[in-house]
Amino acid sequence: MSSSFPDIASKLSSIAKDFHGRGWLLGTSGNLSAVVSREPLHLAMSPSGVDKGELTPDQILLIDEHGLVVSDKPTKPSDESPIHVRIAKARGAGAVLHTHSIWNTILSEHFGADGGIAIEGFEMLKGLQGVRTHEHREWLPIIENSQDMPALADRIGDTLKKHEHVHGFLLRRHGLYSWGQDLRQAKRHVEILEFLLEVLGRTLMISNRQKV
Amino acid sequence: MSSSFPDIASKLSSIAKDFHGRGWLLGTSGNLSAVVSREPLHLAMSPSGVDKGELTPDQILLIDEHGLVVSDKPTKPSDESPIHVRIAKARGAGAVLHTHSIWNTILSEHFGADGGIAIEGFEMLKGLQGVRTHEHREWLPIIENSQDMPALADRIGDTLKKHEHVHGFLLRRHGLYSWGQDLRQAKRHVEILEFLLEVLGRTLMISNRQKV
Amino acid sequence: MSSSFPDIASKLSSIAKDFHGRGWLLGTSGNLSAVVSREPLHLAMSPSGVDKGELTPDQILLIDEHGLVVSDKPTKPSDESPIHVRIAKARGAGAVLHTHSIWNTILSEHFGADGGIAIEGFEMLKGLQGVRTHEHREWLPIIENSQDMPALADRIGDTLKKHEHVHGFLLRRHGLYSWGQDLRQAKRHVEILEFLLEVLGRTLMISNRQKV
Amino acid sequence: MSSSFPDIASKLSSIAKDFHGRGWLLGTSGNLSAVVSREPLHLAMSPSGVDKGELTPDQILLIDEHGLVVSDKPTKPSDESPIHVRIAKARGAGAVLHTHSIWNTILSEHFGADGGIAIEGFEMLKGLQGVRTHEHREWLPIIENSQDMPALADRIGDTLKKHEHVHGFLLRRHGLYSWGQDLRQAKRHVEILEFLLEVLGRTLMISNRQKV
């Protein structure tokens, strides 16, 4: 929790490499951040437009609560930095991870008109912070995508307020955001949600129906 | 068979990393154990809540037949330790592996109401201990999931008694348990059962029918 | 951009290994090139018939604008060298990558009679050079395959002229060509197009319809 | 071609590790061989029951034309050694590789009653030795599985005689055999056939029909 910037940067690089290998961060998509200090709020964050399979610790930026770069590096932060900051504040999250996977992209559209996906009855859910039983019903909200970042951040803020206990959300035809107290927990949440989305997606193939 | 604890811990770590890479232990799910001594019964076991892709040998716990930690490590054993102990006793197993894969999760539900899956006619079955021909019919029981561990362990005990020759079982919407005389054999059994489940699952997609 | 041949050769080898791991260059299929000089036009290019998972920098050839080998190496360039040269000229591309993936092969046939695939509304599209919004509509032309290389190169030239803003094209039942200002961008474009093709392909499975 | 035994053993180990990673040799399934000398016929061969992801060069056996071990190692050769010998003789093959993949298992059953699979019109076919155009029609025979090895080897011999130009065959619900002049070519053939089988299999999912 009280990790130093170099340590956090190294972990972000390691997670990026792992997720890129799984196909969750292809084509420089996705971004990763972790809180370095609360007051003032500073986040270590992956830069924009970088191959996540080759992200090195020294490429990690330090940004402030406005998403502006604190460190004097030549790269710029992701356009989605405000979303990371918003989640870090609204949830007290210590880390925020954003992935573009095949299945989160497909299901964000498939269930888009429903406004979210209900995931229920899986043991895997117990890996989500605070969940004690597989009988838990997790709601994964789906938010319409937009290039208007402040508007999108507000929409996300509203969703987080409305759904206090969610562990992530989908942006439609865009990707998954999840978070945790620290990078370890955030990584765990991403793996769990990606796993469950793939289970739902492949179940649709077998059941041969439009909705589960 | 008469491996030392450090050797076993190292092997458990190696298998965990491999299976995590295949997506069978995502989100800290699953757990792995191997018998260190029979009398008293001591198992080397993966701790609870650890990223299996980064499990190190020194994190492996030593537990007794009640699932209590013998070694003085700060981590706690998995809630599912009693299941490992039960299988080690009932089967004389030297190693027990539990995976959460996409396909074992999906098929444990798809065939859940049938109480199990019959797998028959595959050469791959010959890799299961004691099976001599692909004409073998393997029954893979499916047991209802529960958070009541003693009750679940009893249910598993009953299943193992009823089906003397099975090489594994599924917990519904939860995962696969398999085992072997030693870690090598248990790993082989997991790979074979996961392979066959994926074959059945993808066959369902092609055949476009609800059941095989 | 002003990279030396050894540096480019090393990057080509690294991308080849990565793509082979993903199953996009199996069986010595596919080829990779990058411009070393513009005048005269010289390309660093992977040789014909080599296992891309084991491609070493010293195997990379230097070819001229006629696809002839400049360096005195015993291997021969790919038959598809003229296509690489054509793209480098027509687009001013600094790098050209050609992959054979499961999904680009399947969809090049599935949508073959339509002459191309329209990909629209995905955030991932923003990773393509010059695309500013997910509302972008990308056209991915499909060109009939042929063993008559000059004829095929002409057909490709016509397509590139007709569709000025495309970032790649498919050869029917053959594979994907994409390119970029440099290897980094070309790799990004391949990852994005392969990702989107897999999304479309798996969506077809769920929607259970012949066309999207 | 005139490689020494240590060199061949090292290559067999390397291919085994690669194919195991792709899920083609799970659960100790499959086997690999390469000719060391023609007269007398000696093959370097993977031993029975070994984890192919951990196969080391020193585990590779030397067998004669009767499938008997020449070297004095404690392991035994695969029961399928006679098949390797048969192919090495009938085709003059320098290497024989046998894989158990998800897709070769599924399609060997799906098309089993047809006695084989016709694969036609793919650029990828050009990677098969002697094939000059994607318009080539490759026949991949499917042979009924059996535990009677001499009978199976005879059946395979008949198939190889009847279909002189095939580059591989499937054993029903069992796996793929392919071969080549040397290990490099055999590996290429396996990758190509596995690729094309996956293309056919996934195409079936999209087309939603029982047969292509």
Side-chain angles (χ1 to χ4, degrees):
Chain A
M1 226 64 67
S2 62
S3 298
S4 64
F5 181 82
D7 181 43
I8 287 177
S10 166
K11 281 176 184 159
L12 286 170
S13 160
S14 166
I15 293 172
K17 194 183 175 69
D18 180 9
F19 283 8
H20 183 266
R22 292 192 188 275
W24 296 349
L25 296 172
L26 292 181
T28 78
S29 73
N31 31 69
L32 313 90
S33 73
V35 172
V36 174
S37 70
R38 281 285 166 194
E39 293 186 6
L41 183 63
H42 281 176
L43 276 71
M45 175 132 199
S46 57
S48 178
V50 168
D51 185 331
K52 298 303 185 303
E54 298 179 355
L55 181 66
T56 55
D58 64 286
Q59 290 178 306
I60 302 295
L61 303 173
L62 189 67
I63 64 168
D64 65 18
E65 65 173 329
H66 307 293
L68 298 177
V69 179
V70 176
S71 49
D72 56 347
K73 295 202 182 173
T75 45
K76 79 181 196 62
S78 165
D79 289 345
E80 298 183 35
S81 299
I83 299 179
H84 287 250
V85 171
R86 181 69 70 117
I87 294 170
K89 283 181 171 177
R91 285 299 198 239
V96 180
L97 302 176
H98 170 43
T99 50
H100 286 212
S101 75
I102 296 291
W103 287 107
N104 77 37
T105 302
I106 293 176
L107 296 187
S108 72
E109 173 60 24
H110 192 78
F111 293 100
D114 301 343
I117 307 175
I119 311 178
E120 191 172 3
F122 295 100
E123 180 73 13
M124 200 70 165
L125 289 163
K126 279 178 63 190
L128 298 175
Q129 184 61 17
V131 175
R132 301 271 173 224
T133 166
H134 63 283
E135 291 169 354
H136 172 75
R137 183 178 185 272
E138 179 77 13
W139 180 249
L140 186 66
I142 302 173
I143 299 168
E144 289 296 325
N145 195 20
S146 171
Q147 298 309 323
D148 180 343
M149 277 304 133
L152 185 57
D154 283 348
R155 211 180 291 162
I156 288 168
D158 291 347
T159 299
L160 293 180
K161 205 171 289 176
K162 190 175 167 191
H163 302 286
E164 281 182 15
H165 300 295
V166 302
H167 296 81
F169 58 83
L170 295 172
L171 295 181
R172 193 167 181 176
R173 284 180 170 241
H174 178 153
L176 169 74
Y177 269 93
S178 188
W179 53 85
Q181 287 163 7
D182 52 21
L183 268 172
R184 191 182 296 268
Q185 192 180 99
K187 177 173 183 252
R188 193 176 89 210
H189 286 172
V190 167
E191 288 188 359
I192 290 169
L193 293 172
E194 290 288 0
F195 176 88
L196 291 168
L197 288 170
E198 186 168 342
V199 165
L200 291 187
R202 293 191 186 275
T203 298
L204 282 171
M205 288 186 193
I206 288 185
S207 64
N208 199 21
R209 291 177 291 125
Q210 289 300 96
K211 297 282 159 104
V212 218
Chain B
M1 225 65 68
S2 62
S3 299
S4 63
F5 181 81
D7 181 43
I8 287 177
S10 167
K11 281 177 184 159
L12 286 170
S13 162
S14 166
I15 293 173
K17 193 182 177 68
D18 179 10
F19 283 9
H20 183 266
R22 292 191 189 276
W24 297 348
L25 296 171
L26 292 180
T28 78
S29 73
N31 32 67
L32 313 89
S33 73
V35 171
V36 174
S37 69
R38 280 287 165 193
E39 293 186 9
L41 184 63
H42 281 176
L43 276 69
M45 176 132 198
S46 57
S48 179
V50 168
D51 185 331
K52 299 303 185 300
E54 298 179 355
L55 180 67
T56 54
D58 64 285
Q59 290 177 306
I60 302 295
L61 303 172
L62 189 66
I63 64 168
D64 66 17
E65 66 172 330
H66 308 292
L68 298 177
V69 179
V70 176
S71 50
D72 55 348
K73 297 203 182 172
T75 45
K76 79 180 196 63
S78 165
D79 290 344
E80 298 183 35
S81 300
I83 298 179
H84 287 249
V85 170
R86 180 70 68 119
I87 295 170
K89 283 182 171 176
R91 284 299 198 239
V96 181
L97 302 176
H98 170 44
T99 50
H100 287 212
S101 74
I102 297 289
W103 286 108
N104 76 36
T105 303
I106 292 176
L107 296 188
S108 72
E109 173 60 23
H110 191 77
F111 293 100
D114 302 342
I117 307 175
I119 311 178
E120 191 172 3
F122 295 100
E123 180 74 12
M124 200 71 164
L125 289 164
K126 279 177 64 189
L128 298 174
Q129 185 62 15
V131 175
R132 301 271 173 221
T133 166
H134 64 282
E135 291 169 353
H136 171 75
R137 183 177 184 273
E138 179 77 13
W139 180 249
L140 186 66
I142 301 173
I143 298 167
E144 289 295 326
N145 194 21
S146 170
Q147 297 310 324
D148 181 343
M149 277 304 133
L152 186 57
D154 283 348
R155 211 180 292 162
I156 288 167
D158 291 347
T159 299
L160 294 179
K161 204 172 289 177
K162 191 175 167 191
H163 302 284
E164 280 182 16
H165 300 294
V166 302
H167 296 82
F169 59 83
L170 295 171
L171 295 181
R172 193 168 180 174
R173 284 179 169 241
H174 178 152
L176 169 75
Y177 269 92
S178 188
W179 53 84
Q181 287 164 6
D182 51 22
L183 268 172
R184 190 182 298 267
Q185 190 180 101
K187 177 174 183 253
R188 195 175 87 210
H189 287 172
V190 168
E191 288 188 359
I192 289 169
L193 292 172
E194 290 288 1
F195 176 89
L196 290 168
L197 289 170
E198 185 167 343
V199 164
L200 291 185
R202 293 191 187 275
T203 298
L204 282 171
M205 289 186 191
I206 289 186
S207 64
N208 198 21
R209 290 177 293 124
Q210 290 299 96
K211 298 281 159 106
V212 220
Chain C
M1 225 66 67
S2 61
S3 299
S4 63
F5 181 81
D7 181 44
I8 287 177
S10 167
K11 282 177 184 159
L12 286 170
S13 161
S14 167
I15 293 173
K17 193 183 176 69
D18 180 7
F19 283 9
H20 183 266
R22 293 192 187 274
W24 297 349
L25 297 172
L26 292 180
T28 77
S29 72
N31 32 68
L32 313 90
S33 72
V35 171
V36 174
S37 70
R38 281 287 166 192
E39 294 187 6
L41 184 63
H42 281 176
L43 276 71
M45 176 134 201
S46 57
S48 179
V50 168
D51 185 331
K52 298 304 185 300
E54 297 179 356
L55 180 67
T56 54
D58 63 285
Q59 290 178 306
I60 302 295
L61 303 173
L62 189 67
I63 63 167
D64 64 18
E65 66 173 329
H66 307 292
L68 299 177
V69 179
V70 175
S71 48
D72 55 346
K73 296 202 182 172
T75 45
K76 79 180 195 64
S78 164
D79 290 345
E80 298 183 35
S81 300
I83 298 179
H84 287 249
V85 171
R86 181 69 69 118
I87 294 170
K89 284 183 172 177
R91 284 302 198 235
V96 180
L97 302 175
H98 170 44
T99 49
H100 287 212
S101 75
I102 296 291
W103 287 108
N104 75 38
T105 303
I106 293 176
L107 295 188
S108 72
E109 173 61 24
H110 192 77
F111 292 101
D114 302 342
I117 307 175
I119 312 178
E120 192 172 2
F122 295 100
E123 181 73 12
M124 200 70 164
L125 288 164
K126 279 178 63 190
L128 298 175
Q129 183 64 15
V131 176
R132 302 270 173 224
T133 167
H134 64 282
E135 291 168 353
H136 171 76
R137 182 177 185 272
E138 179 78 12
W139 180 249
L140 187 66
I142 302 174
I143 299 168
E144 289 296 326
N145 195 21
S146 171
Q147 297 310 323
D148 180 343
M149 277 303 134
L152 186 57
D154 283 347
R155 213 180 289 163
I156 288 168
D158 292 345
T159 298
L160 293 180
K161 206 170 290 177
K162 190 175 167 190
H163 302 285
E164 281 182 14
H165 300 293
V166 301
H167 296 82
F169 58 83
L170 295 172
L171 295 181
R172 193 166 180 175
R173 284 180 169 242
H174 178 154
L176 169 74
Y177 269 93
S178 188
W179 54 84
Q181 286 163 7
D182 52 21
L183 268 171
R184 191 181 297 268
Q185 190 180 100
K187 177 174 182 251
R188 194 176 90 210
H189 287 171
V190 167
E191 288 188 0
I192 289 169
L193 292 172
E194 290 288 1
F195 176 89
L196 290 168
L197 288 170
E198 185 166 344
V199 165
L200 291 186
R202 293 192 185 276
T203 298
L204 282 171
M205 289 186 191
I206 289 184
S207 64
N208 199 21
R209 290 176 293 125
Q210 289 300 96
K211 297 280 158 108
V212 218
Chain D
M1 223 68 66
S2 62
S3 299
S4 64
F5 181 81
D7 181 44
I8 287 176
S10 167
K11 283 177 184 158
L12 285 170
S13 161
S14 168
I15 293 173
K17 193 181 177 69
D18 180 9
F19 283 8
H20 183 266
R22 293 192 187 275
W24 297 349
L25 297 171
L26 292 180
T28 78
S29 73
N31 32 67
L32 313 90
S33 72
V35 171
V36 174
S37 68
R38 281 287 165 192
E39 293 187 8
L41 184 62
H42 280 176
L43 275 71
M45 177 134 197
S46 57
S48 179
V50 169
D51 185 330
K52 299 305 185 299
E54 298 178 356
L55 180 66
T56 54
D58 64 284
Q59 288 178 308
I60 302 295
L61 303 173
L62 188 67
I63 64 168
D64 65 17
E65 66 172 328
H66 306 292
L68 299 177
V69 179
V70 175
S71 49
D72 56 345
K73 296 202 181 171
T75 45
K76 79 179 193 65
S78 164
D79 290 345
E80 298 183 35
S81 299
I83 299 179
H84 287 249
V85 170
R86 180 70 69 119
I87 294 171
K89 283 182 171 177
R91 285 300 199 237
V96 180
L97 301 176
H98 170 44
T99 50
H100 286 212
S101 74
I102 297 290
W103 287 108
N104 76 37
T105 303
I106 293 175
L107 296 188
S108 72
E109 173 60 24
H110 191 77
F111 292 100
D114 302 343
I117 307 176
I119 312 178
E120 190 172 3
F122 295 101
E123 181 72 13
M124 200 71 164
L125 288 164
K126 278 178 63 189
L128 298 175
Q129 184 63 14
V131 175
R132 301 272 172 221
T133 167
H134 64 281
E135 292 169 352
H136 171 76
R137 183 176 185 272
E138 179 78 13
W139 179 251
L140 187 65
I142 302 174
I143 299 168
E144 289 295 326
N145 195 20
S146 171
Q147 299 308 325
D148 181 342
M149 278 304 134
L152 186 56
D154 284 348
R155 213 181 289 163
I156 288 168
D158 291 347
T159 298
L160 294 180
K161 205 171 289 178
K162 191 175 167 190
H163 302 284
E164 281 183 14
H165 300 295
V166 301
H167 296 83
F169 58 83
L170 295 172
L171 294 181
R172 194 168 179 174
R173 284 180 169 240
H174 178 153
L176 169 75
Y177 269 93
S178 188
W179 53 84
Q181 287 163 6
D182 51 22
L183 268 171
R184 189 182 298 267
Q185 190 180 101
K187 177 173 183 254
R188 194 175 88 210
H189 287 172
V190 168
E191 288 189 359
I192 289 169
L193 293 172
E194 289 289 1
F195 176 89
L196 290 168
L197 288 170
E198 185 167 344
V199 164
L200 291 185
R202 293 192 186 275
T203 297
L204 283 170
M205 289 186 191
I206 289 185
S207 64
N208 199 22
R209 291 177 291 125
Q210 287 301 96
K211 296 282 158 106
V212 219

